[in-house]
Amino acid sequence: MSFFLFHFQLLGQQRIDSLWIEHNKATDDKLKINLLVSLAREYEETNLDSALAISLKALTIAEEIEDIDQVATLCRRIGVIKRKQESFLEAYEYLDRSVNILIERKDTSGLVGLAASYNSQANLENDLKNYDRALIYYLKALEIYNDLDKTRSLGPVYLNISTIYLSQGNYPEALKNTEQALRIFTELKYTSMYIPTYLNMGEVYEKEGDLSKAESYYIKSLKLCEINVSNKNAVDVLSYLGRLYNKLGKYDEALSYLLPGLQMAEDVGIAESMRDIFKELGISYEGKEQYKSALIYHKQYIEMYEDLGSEEIRMRLSFYEMSRNYEEQTRIQNEKIQKARFRTIIFIISLGLMVLFVLLLFRNYRIKQKANKLLAEMDELKSRLFSNISHEFRTPLTLILGPLEEMLAEETSKRPIQKTVKMMQRNAQRLLELVNQMLDLSKVDAGSMKIDLSETDLLKSLRVLISSFTSLAEKKGIRFDQNIPDGELKTWFDHDKIEKILTNLLSNAFKFTYEGGIISCLVNLPEDKSSIEIIVQDSGKGSPSGQLEKIFDRFH
């Protein structure tokens, strides 16, 4: 196998070198384009990237000299290369451009090119598993070739149509069209097409379960490769044989075809063949119980399969379809996407039990780690919470217990002074407020906190509340600026919650503003009175920049 491939590559390189020499000597632009097209065809068998670069160079020259025929042809060739590289969106754009140019042409040459472009569009839709659309394009190409009596071109179209029926599971129609293609190739002695035809025939029998007959056609294809070798055909033959021997449980024989097939597919850059061979290699190594190697190839297959069915490509292609009045195709396309996703999920689930077991163990280990970390954080939060609550309760309790102890120590007939009783009352009230706040906090966490609305003059309430801090400002030597609109604003609001929010803001401002500082409280009311804005500013040191994001963390 390696000898005849090497011999073919050597001959191919000689042809490439000869074409480059002619191109470098050429001065006529049309001649340069023809030589570049020939070079691209040579490279297409061995290096798709080089074939693409050369075709794009030829397209640039054709556009410069306004050679419309060559522009259409090169757009089709570039679309074919992009399809082989699985750049489906770009392939669609180039093929669409080729079709649009050729539809304007009415002569025989334009129709032949149009049929070829329809055929290429059908191949692209076939790759994307849009079988109904692919069949429409193949039938358009077939109609044109029949009208023009292009018998040589009919064979490949019949062969392509058979692949559609094969994909749809219609094996009698697939076999019928394959036999029709083979009759045409035989009459015309079109030997280069024997290999894909035999492969198609073998695949029909393989799908029907007649593996012995399938093997005979695959072996015929393999023998023909030695006579009329093409890297793409050779890759397909090796891939099909590998798949067949996997089904027969002959994993060593399967590997003897799949491994060289993968090397050739990588050398040429045929992504679709690489993906199929990755799948079969995974099956071979799994059959040989070499699970590590099997897992590697299964992963590579899944990655390439997901790239092929990406949502972005399919959505953007749907846009082109709708623009060409194929509304029904959108529904079909969505069904194909769902089926592709379902097949991917089924395949992933079917991976070896050993891999699944390892993943479950690792997952359980991570869950336990996260749970332990969460428990530690909750313990720390509880400790901090109890510490803060104890600190808040201790001060008013101390101020209540102190006078009580003094009264108990004195004569029972002696009554406490009113100032002491009022102080005890204030601190008892403070304790009650703390308890109420904790109850409010639990209501917030439980989602049962209710708003107690009443219709009152909001501006008047704000004036009273803000003015109550004036005496504190004078005591601390702080300038307290207040800016509240005149008039009244009767509206519905929760007086208690407004008071708590504003009191908290102003208390913090006074707590962290030193003597001589400035605190301002500004109330903004738009003309339509649809909202109100309250701004509290102070000249204190403020919160450290690193702590601002935690300002609303409870008990921080």
Side-chain angles (χ1 to χ4, degrees), residues 289-307:
E289 297 184 356
Q290 296 180 15
Y291 298 113
K292 185 175 180 180
S293 298
L295 180 60
I296 291 171
Y297 287 113
H298 278 317
K299 283 183 176 178
Q300 288 177 303
Y301 165 71
I302 291 169
E303 288 171 1
M304 292 191 73
Y305 188 87
E306 288 177 344
D307 288 343

Side-chain angles (χ1 to χ4, degrees), residues 362-393:
F362 180 71
R363 181 173 172 272
N364 289 337
Y365 171 73
R366 292 294 300 272
I367 289 173
K368 286 180 181 178
Q369 274 192 325
K370 289 181 180 178
N372 291 336
K373 184 179 178 182
L374 184 60
L375 286 171
E377 289 176 353
M378 288 177 66
D379 287 339
E380 183 183 350
L381 180 61
K382 285 178 184 178
S383 298
R384 194 161 4 111
L385 174 63
F386 289 135
S387 175
N388 286 328
I389 291 174
S390 299
H391 178 75
E392 292 287 344
F393 278 24

